[in-house]
Amino acid sequence: MRARVSHLRALLSRALAPGLAPPPARALPQITGPGESRFGAAFLGRARFFSADASTAAQGGSKPPAATAAATTGGDGGGDGQSGKSEQADAGKSVRGGPVSWLSFLLLLVTGGGIIVYYDKEKKRHIEELKNRTSAVKPGQSVGTAAIGGPFKLLNHDGKPVTEKDFLGKWTLLYFGFTHCPDICPDELQKMAAAIDKIKEKAKLDIVPVFITVDPERDTVEQVRDYVKEFHPDLVGLTGTTDEIRKVARAYRVYYMKTEEEGSDYLVDHSIVMYLMNPKMEFVKFYGKNYDTDSLADGIIKEIKEHK
């Protein structure tokens, strides 16, 4: 009995040694015979348990710590450990690889603020440059010579042929309109007549006022003659054929078009502009509807003095 117990202890020592592989299962002798005691059978069972446990530990020594930890966790505990690691990994990703961090948000604010400030400065600088360029040119001053004017051949209100050459040597003020105009044309022609008289009174200058119709279908020589007499004795009325009126309107960049046509009763939409021409029948300046009698007269006097 003692010899067998000594033998078992030797086997256990070898099995539990750190550098030795466990003996095969057949190395344990069968000591549980019919005549052996219960103490020997129990002792042998415990020896086999330690031997198997030692074998598992020796084989697992070469595995990495993560694999050993997973292997030593059994049942539901192993599943909980894996899920815990997965949650920790996801948490780490959400912290490190999130779409927006405080640093990136701060950089975005700083960059956006800088862009806004830069754009505001550039806008103010551009506006200042425009103001400086505008102030460099005096109000009402003509820069260069516009391509306005040209030769024409029409009939005056007395039925005589007239060309642009008939106005050479005189300052001329041209206005395009039509005799059936309800309000704008009469107002502009009255303003023109009053300005002509004011210019003659203030500057002793003679200006030839000219009215050119843009409605040749209705504005005959007789119709134009009766019309111009209502405004000024020096007002010259000109008319012509549809093609002749189209050519002169194109030469002076005048827009006109029939509107609200109902039989013979219609209106003509047209440019509301007066053209000042020098004695060579060259364009000097135009005056829109925003000029009143005084500003029109003063503006013409100023242009004539500057061109002398």
Side-chain angles (χ1 to χ4, degrees), residues 31 103 116 124-125 130-131 164 186-187 208 226 258:
I31 61 175
L103 180 58
I116 293 174
K124 290 181 179 178
R125 183 181 63 82
L130 291 178
K131 288 182 179 179
E164 78 285 352
D187 292 343
V208 179
D226 295 339
K258 289 182 180 180

Side-chain angles (χ1 to χ4, degrees), residues 113-191:
I115 292 174
I116 293 174
V117 172
Y118 174 78
Y119 175 77
D120 186 62
K121 288 184 178 179
E122 287 296 315
K123 183 179 179 181
K124 290 181 179 178
R125 183 181 63 82
H126 183 66
I127 293 174
E128 191 66 25
E129 289 180 356
L130 291 178
K131 288 182 179 179
N132 293 335
R133 292 175 185 175
T134 304
S135 61
V137 181
K138 298 179 180 180
Q141 181 180 0
S142 299
V143 180
T145 302
I148 295 177
F152 59 83
K153 184 178 181 180
L154 300 170
L155 296 176
N156 65 10
H157 58 267
D158 292 327
K160 296 180 181 180
V162 175
T163 67
E164 78 285 352
K165 295 180 181 180
D166 293 309
F167 299 96
L168 294 176
K170 307 169 186 178
W171 284 88
T172 307
L173 190 62
L174 301 177
Y175 178 78
F176 290 78
F178 64 109
T179 63
H180 289 77
C181 182
D183 49 14
I184 295 178
C185 292
D187 292 343
E188 292 299 296
L189 290 175
Q190 288 176 0
K191 181 172 67 177

Side-chain angles (χ1 to χ4, degrees), residues 17 28 31 59 81 147 200 300:
L28 294 175
I31 61 175
Q59 293 178 0
K200 188 172 184 179
I300 292 175

Side-chain angles (χ1 to χ4, degrees), residues 4 61 64 69 83 87 126 136 176 192 195 220 245 269 274:
R4 291 184 179 180
S83 62
E87 291 176 357
H126 183 66
F176 290 78
M192 174 189 281
T220 63
I245 295 299
D269 186 21
M274 296 181 193

Side-chain angles (χ1 to χ4, degrees), residues 155-160 162 220-222 224-226 228-229 233-239:
L155 296 176
N156 65 10
H157 58 267
D158 292 327
K160 296 180 181 180
V162 175
T220 63
V221 172
E222 294 78 10
V224 173
R225 181 173 61 246
D226 295 339
V228 296
K229 287 180 180 179
D234 295 335
L235 181 59
V236 178
L238 300 179
T239 186

Side-chain angles (χ1 to χ4, degrees), residues 16-75:
L16 296 177
L20 298 177
R26 52 186 175 83
L28 294 175
Q30 300 293 333
I31 61 175
T32 55
E36 301 296 335
S37 65
R38 294 180 180 180
F39 173 78
F43 189 85
L44 181 59
R46 180 164 297 188
R48 288 178 177 174
F49 171 78
F50 285 138
S51 177
D53 203 12
S55 176
T56 303
Q59 293 178 0
S62 59
K63 294 182 180 180
T68 306
T72 56
T73 305

Side-chain angles (χ1 to χ4, degrees), residues 50-308:
F50 285 138
S51 177
D53 203 12
S55 176
T56 303
Q59 293 178 0
S62 59
K63 294 182 180 180
T68 306
T72 56
T73 305
D76 294 337
D80 293 339
Q82 293 179 357
S83 62
K85 293 180 180 180
S86 177
E87 291 176 357
Q88 292 178 359
D90 293 341
K93 290 181 180 179
S94 63
V95 172
R96 295 189 302 270
V100 178
S101 65
W102 285 108
L103 180 58
S104 60
F105 182 71
L106 181 60
L107 291 176
L108 179 63
L109 288 179
V110 173
T111 304
I115 292 174
I116 293 174
V117 172
Y118 174 78
Y119 175 77
D120 186 62
K121 288 184 178 179
E122 287 296 315
K123 183 179 179 181
K124 290 181 179 178
R125 183 181 63 82
H126 183 66
I127 293 174
E128 191 66 25
E129 289 180 356
L130 291 178
K131 288 182 179 179
N132 293 335
R133 292 175 185 175
T134 304
S135 61
V137 181
K138 298 179 180 180
Q141 181 180 0
S142 299
V143 180
T145 302
I148 295 177
F152 59 83
K153 184 178 181 180
L154 300 170
L155 296 176
N156 65 10
H157 58 267
D158 292 327
K160 296 180 181 180
V162 175
T163 67
E164 78 285 352
K165 295 180 181 180
D166 293 309
F167 299 96
L168 294 176
K170 307 169 186 178
W171 284 88
T172 307
L173 190 62
L174 301 177
Y175 178 78
F176 290 78
F178 64 109
T179 63
H180 289 77
C181 182
D183 49 14
I184 295 178
C185 292
D187 292 343
E188 292 299 296
L189 290 175
Q190 288 176 0
K191 181 172 67 177
M192 174 189 281
I196 294 297
D197 292 338
K198 190 175 287 293
I199 292 170
K200 188 172 184 179
E201 180 183 352
K202 292 179 65 174
K204 309 302 181 181
L205 296 172
D206 291 326
I207 309 296
V208 179
V210 178
F211 168 79
I212 302 178
T213 182
V214 290
D215 185 16
E217 297 177 4
R218 294 183 297 185
D219 289 346
T220 63
V221 172
E222 294 78 10
Q223 179 71 22
V224 173
R225 181 173 61 246
D226 295 339
Y227 187 71
V228 296
K229 287 180 180 179
E230 299 178 2
F231 300 99
H232 198 279
D234 295 335
L235 181 59
V236 178
L238 300 179
T239 186
T241 64
T242 302
D243 187 57
E244 289 171 344
I245 295 299
R246 183 184 301 113
K247 288 180 180 179
V248 66
R250 183 179 301 170
Y252 284 85
R253 305 294 189 267
V254 174
Y255 159 81
Y256 70 97
M257 184 180 65
K258 289 182 180 180
T259 61
E260 300 181 10
E261 185 171 0
E262 295 178 1
S264 60
D265 188 14
Y266 60 87
L267 298 176
V268 179
D269 186 21
H270 63 89
S271 304
I272 307 173
V273 178
M274 296 181 193
Y275 297 94
L276 180 63
M277 313 297 291
N278 65 18
K280 296 180 180 180
M281 279 302 287
E282 298 171 343
F283 170 76
V284 177
K285 188 175 180 179
F286 67 87
Y287 302 91
K289 191 174 180 294
N290 57 315
Y291 283 82
D292 58 12
T293 301
D294 293 333
S295 60
L296 178 61
D298 293 339
I300 292 175
I301 292 174
K302 180 181 178 181
E303 292 296 331
I304 292 175
K305 290 183 177 180
E306 289 181 354
H307 280 75
K308 280 188 175 181

